[in-house]
Amino acid sequence: MATLLPPPKRIKVYHNVPEPEPEKVQQIPNVIVQFVSEDDGSAMAPAVNLPANVSREGLEALVNKLSPPEDDPVPFAFHVALPEEAVKSSGSPARIVISKSLEADVLNHSSGHFTPEDVLVVYCSPQNVFKVRPATRCSSTLSGHTSPILCAAFSPTGNLLATGSGDTNARLWDLNTETPSHVLSGHVGWVLCVEWEAMERKLATGGHDGHVRLWEPKTGKAIGEAMKGHTKWITSLSWEPIHINPIAPRLASSSKDGTVRVWSTLTRRAEYTLGGHTASVNVVRWAGSGGSKGVLYTASSDRTVRVWDAEAGRPLYVLKDHAHWVTTLALNTDFALRTGPFDHTGKKPTSDEEAQKLAKDRYDTILRSTPELLISGSDDHTLYLWSLFPSPLCATKPAGTKPLARLTGHQRQVSHVAFSPDGRWAASAAWDSSVRIWEGRTGKFVATLRGHVGAVYRLAWSADSRMLISASKDSTLKIWDLKTYKIKVDLPGHTDEVYCVDFVADKVVSGGRDRTVKIWKN
């Protein structure tokens, strides 16, 4: 008798739905990864074979393990460069930032350029050990000015804030209590620029009346009379770096009258006048290298950028590449020059000599990996990156009077450009409502940040170089995350155009046409 097979098993049914098929185990591909330093492109370790799903944190731990044992663990940012032809065809940013894993970010990238067969060259850039929290709320709205606020600047330690307005007054605000501290009245026209000395002993203001005034921040009293000499309004101010002159740094002022004057703060007289430009000088920057007293860069509506020896005002170079007014300049050492001896630890120097040494150390940290670089932005919609003087601490050769790179892509006039504090990035804002990010050392395009619906007027970086904030005609501020190139936080609140913004520690300050100063924090 034939054996009867048992009846087939009844299929289990859950609420009349058959049991799902078991998922197949996916094979994780292995990839060969070469870690290279973003600073000089040198290999940080031999190529390693890794599973593609290793997380970003795992990569960080691995790089710290592979680096010399005496180094403390450092946070790293990782990215893979997308070749130019892939950028053009896919329209994606030139850098693929690794935020999750190699598999999620690189192998599955929308450009489809990378496969597990490729050797992935992963660029590693060490991040600051401290981290700035993004501002998410408005903690104070300070009224007091009776006209639009045209300029705002935090003091180097971040304890005080100075604002200048169309009501002819500058005001000082205490940031610990977020209250007004002093009104600085003396100008007879709009206050167009405010600039702190890097030791926080003096504040300089420049006005539409053509006068430059100095103030004592603790008492709010004027230091002497106005410094007169310019025949038209002041467009920008710049202090001599602390590592060159810690005791009584001089002050440079540029003006619509086509001249730049360098003032001694001790005698309160102009030491010399730079007259070479044939139209309004829009910006002046005092750089820390290039001469024993540094050099002055001036940008003008005569379409040139001029370079002067700051010792006696001798002209050195004329850079004539722009085709329209040059309206903005930025140095990759701006943050170190502006904050002088003060860093995130909050230590205060006890003497001028100590301050000079601390400021010199902070300045030299940037010059170890790159010479001092300058970016100029113009109404011809382009920017140029310049490297004029060698750095004694690094082997990179300067490019001389030829630009290192021409940065194109904006569709309208460039309104502002700013280097990140560590000098790795540069950001430019323009009237085309966009912000563009560039590599700070090569000028290569990285990404476009879109989100504003009006012209972007000003930019400011967080001290850890991980975030950028932009102020716009559309009455908002936006904080951008540089891992995703997307908006991290949107800060609406102003009722009209925002003209100025500054970022210190985890506080942001903004002012504009609605006559209020807003302080934002986490």
Side-chain angles (χ1 to χ4, degrees), residues 1-246:
M1 184 179 140
T3 315
L4 281 175
L5 286 171
K9 267 195 179 158
R10 210 157 42 96
I11 297 173
K12 267 192 189 167
V13 177
Y14 300 89
H15 304 290
N16 295 329
V17 179
E19 188 178 11
E21 289 280 313
E23 281 187 16
K24 288 197 180 84
V25 179
Q26 281 189 332
Q27 287 289 313
I28 303 294
N30 272 20
V31 285
I32 293 180
V33 177
Q34 174 70 68
F35 292 109
V36 299
S37 159
E38 194 194 343
D39 291 340
D40 50 11
S42 61
M44 298 176 73
V48 285
N49 192 345
L50 300 174
N53 62 349
V54 174
S55 66
R56 198 199 71 78
E57 291 72 25
L59 291 176
E60 197 174 278
L62 180 65
V63 171
N64 277 312
K65 223 9 159 235
L66 293 170
S67 55
E70 65 272 6
D71 294 355
D72 290 333
V74 184
F76 278 94
F78 301 102
H79 76 268
V80 175
L82 198 59
E84 273 181 38
E85 60 271 13
V87 173
K88 283 178 186 144
S89 60
S90 65
S92 40
R95 289 181 167 197
I96 303 172
V97 178
I98 299 172
S99 53
K100 296 191 186 92
S101 67
L102 288 168
E103 185 175 37
D105 296 316
V106 181
L107 297 183
N108 300 343
H109 189 255
S110 57
S111 68
H113 185 79
F114 296 100
T115 68
E117 306 296 315
D118 299 328
V119 176
L120 300 181
V121 178
V122 175
Y123 290 88
C124 315
S125 58
Q127 301 291 290
N128 283 308
V129 185
F130 62 96
K131 192 162 188 171
V132 173
R133 295 175 300 183
T136 50
R137 64 194 172 91
C138 178
S139 65
S140 307
T141 300
L142 306 171
S143 52
H145 282 298
T146 55
S147 276
I149 293 158
L150 306 174
C151 48
F154 281 117
S155 67
T157 58
N159 294 330
L160 294 168
L161 164 72
T163 54
S165 160
D167 60 10
T168 76
N169 292 336
R171 281 174 179 261
L172 284 172
W173 314 83
D174 183 333
L175 280 179
N176 296 322
T177 55
E178 302 188 2
T179 52
S181 111
H182 299 288
V183 181
L184 315 177
S185 45
H187 284 287
V188 289
W190 304 339
V191 181
L192 297 173
C193 38
V194 293
E195 199 69 38
W196 289 90
E197 184 221 35
M199 292 277 284
E200 212 174 284
R201 297 171 294 203
K202 294 187 182 80
L203 172 72
T205 57
H208 201 272
D209 50 11
H211 299 169
V212 177
R213 288 179 176 268
L214 295 176
W215 310 87
E216 162 61 60
K218 284 196 180 75
T219 59
K221 298 269 191 302
I223 303 174
E225 282 299 301
M227 302 195 286
K228 300 174 183 174
H230 286 295
T231 55
K232 288 191 176 159
W233 62 88
I234 309 296
T235 53
S236 99
L237 299 165
S238 188
W239 286 92
E240 187 171 15
I242 291 295
H243 68 263
I244 292 174
N245 185 349

Side-chain angles (χ1 to χ4, degrees), residues 481-495:
D481 185 358
L482 288 195
K483 280 205 176 100
T484 57
Y485 309 118
K486 299 264 189 314
I487 296 175
K488 195 179 183 85
V489 190
D490 196 355
L491 301 173
H494 281 286
T495 56

Side-chain angles (χ1 to χ4, degrees), residues 304-317:
T304 65
V305 176
R306 286 175 184 257
V307 189
W308 317 78
D309 179 20
E311 184 132 34
R314 194 166 51 84
L316 298 174
Y317 303 112

Side-chain angles (χ1 to χ4, degrees), residues 306-342:
R306 286 175 184 257
V307 189
W308 317 78
D309 179 20
E311 184 132 34
R314 194 166 51 84
L316 298 174
Y317 303 112
V318 184
L319 313 174
K320 296 182 177 171
D321 286 67
H322 281 294
H324 209 305
W325 302 345
V326 190
T327 52
T328 174
L329 292 177
L331 292 164
N332 61 347
T333 51
D334 270 340
F335 184 78
L337 295 176
R338 172 187 162 179
T339 49
F342 303 107

